[in-house]
Amino acid sequence: MPSTTHEDSWRESDKEIKEQLGLLEAYADATSDWYWEQDDSFRFTKFVGSDAEYQRFSLSSLIGKRRWELDIYPTENCKLQDHINDCTSHRPFRNFEYEVIGSNGNTRCFSISGVPLFDDQGKFTGYRGIGTDISDLHQNRVERKKHETRLNQVIKRIPIAGFAIDTEHKITDWNATCEHLTGLASTEVTGTRTGWKGFYLEPRPLLADLVVDNAPDNTFKHYYGNHYRRSTLIEDAYEAEGYFPNILGGCWLLFTATPLKDEEGSVIGAVETFHDISHQKKQEQQILRQAHFDSLTNLPNRFLALDRLTMLLNEATRNQTKVAVLLLDLDQFKKVNDSLGHDVGDNLLIECAHRLEENIRSGDAIARLGGDEFIVIINNVNTVEEVEIIGRNLLKKFREVFKFEGRDLLLTASVGISLSPDDGDDPQVLLRNAELAMYHAKEVGRNMCQFFSQRMNAGVTRRLQLEEQLHSALEKGELYVHYQPVVEISTGQIEGAEALLRWNNPKLGQVSPEEFIPIAEQSGLIMPIGYFVLSEALWFAHRWQQKKKFQLNVAVNLSPLQLRDKKLIARVEAELTRYSLPGDRLKLEITEGVLLGNQEHVTQSIKALKALGISLSMDDFGTGYSSLSYLRKYPFNIVKIDRSFIQEFETDATAPALINATIAMAHSLGLEVVAEGVETQTQFDYLKLNKCNYIQGYFFSKPLAEDAFWDLKDLPI
Ligand code: C2E
Ligand code: MG
Ligand code: MG
């Protein structure tokens, strides 16, 4: 019986084993795991479960092999030598990972756990354990690792400086550009709250710190003043800018910080980027400067001047003091520009700005309003006398010679003054009234100061009216030409005529050319008007020839602007052709001012005019510079002695001698002389005696309309 009992118990345990194996198989079938066994030399003896064709990788083909005899590719977690050591020391092991290549070339990754087995005597008999295919997990891990590396590289290498902090305000990232800009290494700040060291000398929150804390508006304001704003580009983001004297030798940085959030939307930190906006700032400041300062003289411009004036006026009202506005305009500055060129003009304006700057008190302000107009604002004025002294002193400074390229220039200025509150308490009104006073100073004789008075309004209104009306005068046929005969003294014959422009306006009546020609020149209207006169005059000469059958020369005044016109020669030539007149029938009168600059194109124009046979007259000789050198240097044919000289003949004892000398000098240079403004017999006789060639003046005839001119008779000699 005992054998039966033994057999029974054997059967029992066999059944138990089979049941357990069955359970194991069932478990292995239900999962993708497998069960394995090894003998005492670590050779596989059994696989249960996914043995057959697991993912086309035959586990059973491994029977008889040791694990480390397989083609193992170590994964990151594979520590093969540790595993071998564990096995040979008969220690259990868990989650040993390795990659193998199956017969079909597929790579699989396994995770294996095993326990050593011992018999009753404690002798090692092998291992058993389970294996799991973790290929997918492994693949995911590899991908994630790659992704992380890429992301790290992007953060690290992106050429935008940036850093990130966590909710504890510790730096988690600090990229290479950030290192470069701040000079602070990532290793120094990562994990600390000392990111501020990259920017500031003292600890203070960075923009990202405020963003992580979801700080209220006034906290942002406290740290960044008005230099912060909500980003218009990125939701949740804040922007702030600041100047950092210690970074890159002083630069402006623009920061953008935005919260970092997890999948649920909870804030887990903040990221902040920044970049150098110094260039942009510089441009902004430049634009701001251009809007407020005059680029030539660097003085504040009209805009800033009015701003300052408004401020000072408010202050003056509070303190019950006065503010004076001095408007300074250079006298005949246009002449400088016209004759010496714009470079000299510009330099002169710069020098004027210096003189003003040097001669004002520290609390006062100056500005350039445009052109040759400057404004001086005087603060804290108590009496009118104070201002008058300042004004006179400025004029004195302007009378000192200006030196340019070895040339001495004399320049004067006219100053108009208005005072608050009597002449207005509004900046615009004060400025306008100072301007009126300035125009008045010019009218009265220049080089002086004038205080504003209500009476001045009328005078300026006229100037504005003239300007307005002149614009349409040509079009409306209000302009016409009169002719003043020029008589040859020796024969008494009418030799020619000077064309003199006239303007009759329905509103303003008859306006003198002395009044409107300067306005026409300033506005550029002199160009069309000047060519109109030329055309009229040549037409007159043409009809004279047709009617009277003898030649008459016409003299036309040429404005400096016209002489600088590139089309001048072509136009003159075209007009001559149009009326079939030879060039020697035309005389062009210019004043010497135009020659001062010694400009090449003026010289060229004069040469070209001469080549057409045209005569050149120097007009108004005796006024202005009266430089003999111009008479010698340029090919003039005629000198016209200014009428002011002739008219002083009887009153000024030196006048006859001067007239005489001028005639002699002109003759010695081979030039003929016309005396202008001859009104009396005495004048005529003296001129005749001194061999003046021609006269022009009321003594013979006033400028006449064409019809009246035809009835003129020669002067009986
Ligand atoms: P101007 O070229 O010196 O012309 C001579 C001026 O003297 C004329 O003044 C003429 O009327 C005036 N006059 C002539 N004889 C006498 C006299 O015996 N006594 C007095 N008191 N005056 C006399 P007007 O016509 O008023 O012209 C003034 C200036 O206007 C001219 O001086 C000339 O510089 C300018 N002008 C006139 N027409 C033109 C023009 O078509 N183009 C340009 N650019 N300027 C012109
Ligand atoms: Mg003239
Ligand atoms: Mg003249």
Side-chain angles (χ1 to χ4, degrees):
M1 284 310 286
S3 66
T4 316
T5 318
H6 187 77
E7 202 168 300
D8 281 353
S9 73
W10 182 82
R11 279 212 183 102
E12 268 300 292
S13 68
D14 189 43
K15 197 177 147 211
E16 226 171 82
I17 289 169
K18 275 193 176 145
E19 264 174 23
Q20 280 186 357
L21 270 175
L23 265 173
L24 210 59
E25 262 175 73
Y27 161 76
D29 279 350
T31 72
S32 55
D33 300 348
W34 62 91
Y35 168 79
W36 57 268
E37 282 181 6
Q38 282 175 345
D39 61 14
D40 58 358
S41 58
F42 312 105
R43 290 178 200 280
F44 288 111
T45 52
K46 177 178 247 171
F47 285 98
V48 179
S50 306
D51 66 333
E53 277 293 304
Y54 182 76
Q55 299 269 347
R56 282 192 276 151
F57 186 92
S58 171
L59 289 172
S60 43
S61 66
L62 307 180
I63 299 278
K65 291 191 177 157
R66 293 190 178 97
R67 185 173 285 118
W68 47 86
E69 286 169 357
L70 309 179
D71 266 344
I72 287 183
Y73 286 90
T75 68
E76 206 173 324
N77 292 345
C78 170
K79 300 197 171 75
L80 186 59
Q81 196 50 53
D82 287 356
H83 175 65
I84 295 171
N85 292 345
D86 279 342
C87 291
T88 50
S89 313
H90 307 149
R91 285 194 293 260
F93 60 87
R94 287 180 73 81
N95 301 332
F96 165 60
E97 284 181 15
Y98 64 96
E99 259 187 313
V100 281
I101 298 185
S103 48
N104 61 355
N106 261 3
T107 310
R108 306 301 307 171
C109 186
F110 297 150
S111 173
I112 307 293
S113 299
V115 286
L117 298 173
F118 302 96
D119 64 9
D120 294 346
Q121 279 74 47
K123 186 171 164 266
F124 172 70
T125 56
Y127 266 94
R128 69 177 175 206
I130 51 166
T132 311
D133 186 309
I134 56 161
S135 300
D136 290 348
L137 185 75
H138 175 64
Q139 192 54 34
N140 277 347
R141 255 180 0 211
V142 169
E143 289 298 326
R144 208 170 53 229
K145 185 85 199 159
K146 260 196 217 161
H147 185 67
E148 248 171 46
T149 313
R150 253 178 74 85
L151 209 64
N152 273 337
Q153 282 291 305
V154 170
I155 293 171
K156 196 166 177 230
R157 301 201 163 256
I158 197 162
I160 294 173
F163 60 87
I165 57 168
D166 59 18
T167 45
E168 291 175 18
H169 300 275
K170 287 186 180 154
I171 302 281
T172 55
D173 302 87
W174 188 266
N175 77 3
T177 315
C178 192
E179 287 184 327
H180 170 71
L181 278 181
T182 60
L184 206 57
S186 158
T187 48
E188 286 177 71
V189 277
T190 306
T192 75
R193 295 192 184 92
T194 58
W196 57 267
K197 282 188 180 169
F199 310 94
Y200 305 101
L201 299 173
E202 312 254 293
R204 55 159 280 175
L206 298 171
L207 194 60
D209 291 311
L210 303 182
V211 168
V212 160
D213 289 345
N214 197 14
D217 208 45
N218 53 9
T219 310
F220 282 95
K221 231 178 219 162
H222 174 74
Y223 287 106
Y224 293 95
N226 288 329
H227 285 300
Y228 95 95
R229 58 193 167 253
R230 291 297 286 255
S231 166
T232 48
L233 289 178
I234 311 159
E235 203 193 340
D236 275 2
Y238 282 85
E239 289 175 355
E241 53 190 44
Y243 181 72
F244 294 85
N246 298 327
I247 297 178
L248 299 175
C251 72
W252 277 90
L253 296 179
L254 173 70
F255 300 96
T256 308
T258 179
L260 294 170
K261 291 179 178 173
D262 64 11
E263 280 171 359
E264 277 81 47
S266 309
V267 173
I268 51 167
V271 60
E272 181 167 344
T273 58
F274 56 95
H275 61 274
D276 183 1
I277 51 161
S278 305
H279 185 63
Q280 183 190 328
K281 272 279 162 194
K282 212 169 159 184
Q283 278 179 338
E284 262 175 40
Q285 277 163 356
Q286 218 171 346
I287 290 168
L288 213 65
R289 213 184 144 72
Q290 274 165 5
H292 291 119
F293 288 85
D294 164 46
S295 58
L296 178 70
T297 60
N298 266 332
L299 289 184
N301 63 11
R302 175 183 287 265
F303 182 83
L304 201 58
L306 284 174
D307 202 49
R308 190 73 201 277
L309 186 55
T310 312
M311 216 176 70
L312 292 175
L313 283 173
N314 289 339
E315 238 170 64
T317 316
R318 276 200 303 275
N319 304 340
Q320 299 214 318
T321 55
K322 293 171 195 281
V323 173
V325 171
L326 275 72
L327 196 103
L328 185 143
D329 188 291
L330 303 179
D331 292 330
Q332 295 180 301
F333 177 68
K334 209 179 142 305
K335 255 194 188 167
V336 175
N337 260 342
D338 283 348
S339 56
L340 303 181
H342 286 267
D343 283 351
V344 174
D346 283 354
N347 279 323
L348 201 65
L349 288 173
I350 293 169
E351 178 58 29
C352 287
H354 287 160
R355 285 196 186 180
L356 283 173
E357 275 171 324
E358 281 163 13
N359 289 291
I360 60 158
R361 303 177 311 186
S362 62
D364 301 337
I366 40 175
R368 179 178 173 214
L369 297 186
D372 58 345
E373 265 187 7
F374 297 89
I375 179 180
V376 180
I377 305 170
I378 301 171
N379 200 7
N380 273 327
V381 173
N382 294 308
T383 65
V384 173
E385 288 71 33
E386 258 175 69
V387 183
E388 198 173 358
I389 292 170
I390 296 176
R392 277 220 220 100
N393 186 36
L394 281 181
L395 287 186
K396 209 167 101 195
K397 294 289 168 198
F398 271 77
R399 278 197 289 268
E400 288 167 18
V401 285
F402 289 87
K403 288 190 183 297
F404 286 111
E405 297 157 9
R407 199 198 309 264
D408 284 358
L409 284 177
L410 274 172
L411 197 79
T412 58
S414 298
V415 176
I417 305 171
S418 64
L419 269 167
S420 80
D422 311 337
D423 303 335
D425 46 15
D426 171 85
Q428 298 280 4
V429 174
L430 276 175
L431 200 63
R432 202 194 57 220
N433 288 344
E435 202 169 15
L436 292 185
M438 183 273 290
Y439 282 132
H440 196 74
K442 296 234 174 207
E443 272 163 32
V444 178
R446 305 189 185 116
N447 188 16
M448 63 172 77
C449 292
Q450 279 284 330
F451 279 87
F452 169 76
S453 85
Q454 294 299 339
R455 274 179 293 116
M456 288 172 183
N457 275 315
V460 176
T461 318
R462 171 153 175 98
R463 192 196 147 87
L464 291 177
Q465 269 180 335
L466 284 174
E467 225 174 300
E468 194 188 306
Q469 295 294 319
L470 195 59
H471 273 273
S472 51
L474 195 56
E475 224 171 85
K476 291 186 179 153
E478 294 168 11
L479 296 173
Y480 55 97
V481 180
H482 272 184
Y483 299 92
Q484 187 173 34
V486 177
V487 174
E488 186 164 7
I489 294 178
S490 59
T491 61
Q493 274 178 3
I494 299 171
E495 176 269 347
E498 178 174 5
L500 292 161
L501 187 60
R502 297 292 174 257
W503 180 23
N504 191 6
N505 176 271
K507 270 195 196 152
L508 303 162
Q510 197 71 36
V511 187
S512 151
E514 306 259 24
E515 197 179 5
F516 74 80
I517 294 280
I519 296 174
E521 283 181 333
Q522 270 159 33
S523 58
L525 280 170
I526 194 66
M527 300 297 268
I529 292 177
Y531 290 121
F532 161 78
V533 176
L534 177 73
S535 184
E536 287 288 299
L538 290 176
W539 191 34
F540 171 72
H542 171 83
R543 271 174 302 162
W544 181 271
Q545 175 143 336
Q546 303 264 301
K547 205 167 167 148
K548 295 264 182 176
K549 305 287 178 225
F550 77 90
Q551 296 170 3
L552 183 89
N553 302 321
V554 282
V556 174
N557 293 286
L558 207 62
S559 153
L561 274 187
Q562 286 177 281
L563 201 60
R564 238 167 268 129
D565 180 15
K566 295 213 167 64
K567 297 193 192 109
L568 172 75
I569 310 302
R571 295 195 76 150
V572 171
E573 207 174 354
E575 292 296 332
L576 285 169
T577 317
R578 188 164 153 198
Y579 299 112
S580 322
L581 292 171
D584 60 12
R585 204 63 52 77
L586 178 64
K587 297 184 155 108
L588 290 175
E589 300 191 1
I590 58 176
T591 48
E592 65 189 323
V594 72
L595 307 172
L596 275 179
N598 195 13
Q599 292 159 58
E600 185 53 28
H601 55 276
V602 170
T603 315
Q604 291 302 330
S605 291
I606 287 176
K607 265 196 198 144
L609 289 171
K610 290 294 292 183
L612 291 176
I614 294 165
S615 299
L616 278 189
S617 308
M618 176 171 290
D619 204 355
D620 302 343
F621 192 82
T623 62
Y625 304 88
S626 301
S627 168
L628 291 180
S629 64
Y630 293 124
L631 287 179
R632 211 169 317 136
K633 186 163 170 199
Y634 294 96
F636 282 102
N637 307 78
I638 295 153
V639 176
K640 295 188 83 169
I641 303 179
D642 192 69
R643 64 175 188 267
S644 59
F645 252 94
I646 308 292
Q647 272 147 24
E648 279 162 7
F649 180 79
E650 271 120 318
T651 52
D652 185 343
T654 57
L658 272 174
I659 293 167
N660 191 10
T662 307
I663 296 170
M665 177 270 307
H667 283 167
S668 73
L669 290 172
L671 308 175
E672 295 192 302
V673 182
V674 179
E676 285 186 309
V678 179
E679 291 181 357
T680 64
Q681 185 72 48
T682 327
Q683 291 163 0
F684 178 79
D685 292 340
Y686 183 79
L687 292 163
K688 190 176 178 188
L689 186 72
N690 286 288
K691 309 229 159 23
C692 179
N693 306 82
Y694 306 97
I695 57 140
Q696 184 183 337
Y698 299 171
F699 174 67
F700 180 69
S701 166
K702 288 198 168 187
L704 299 171
E706 194 175 323
D707 288 347
F709 195 96
W710 285 351
D711 298 334
L712 279 174
K713 302 271 173 301
D714 288 345
L715 186 70
I717 297 286

